[in-house]
Amino acid sequence: RCDIIRTNSLRMSQVEKAIDVDPAVSAKFKVLTCSATSCAKKRKMIGLDDFATYGGFYSRIKEGEFDNVQLEETSCLGSCKLAPCVAIQHEDFVGNVALEGMTDNEFSASVFHSVITEGDVDRVWSSVENAIKIMAEEEE
């Protein structure tokens, strides 16, 4: 049974690598990092630079497979008690979108909460990459 799971997992990763994503698909996504007072204060309180969250996504976008994802700082995303927050938008939808990989609370708010560590940024970015691949498959 474990061999079947490993084989299926290997096939899935080979399929993921085989997907050739049209750059227009990833260009429809925008990562919004909150720069409002609560998020900035939380970053400062834990010893992070004002641009730590933005910088984390900037490096993943520029060094990754989807280098035309848009990135912007934004005002309050409405989850101040769970700062710093990050939202994702897609040009075909109104407002922030909920993605696979969000917690139930994040999914309800359509905002990623407490994006503090590199691991948190990786989790959000992984959700964005997954969404791009899903949208690319749907366009085929």
Side-chain angles (χ1 to χ4, degrees), residues 30-86:
K30 183 188 301 182
V31 176
L32 300 169
T33 62
C34 182
S35 62
T37 305
S38 291
C39 288
K41 185 176 178 181
K42 178 69 177 237
R43 278 189 285 271
K44 186 174 185 172
M45 185 172 65
I46 57 177
L48 293 176
D49 179 85
D50 287 344
F51 301 103
T53 309
Y54 183 93
F57 287 100
Y58 182 86
S59 65
R60 282 157 183 81
I61 291 169
K62 293 305 172 197
E63 296 169 7
E65 181 181 356
F66 306 116
D67 62 352
N68 59 348
V69 170
Q70 301 168 63
L71 175 63
E72 291 182 11
E73 283 189 299
T74 190
S75 58
C76 185
L77 293 169
S79 295
C80 301
K81 291 183 180 183
L82 302 167
C85 299
V86 174

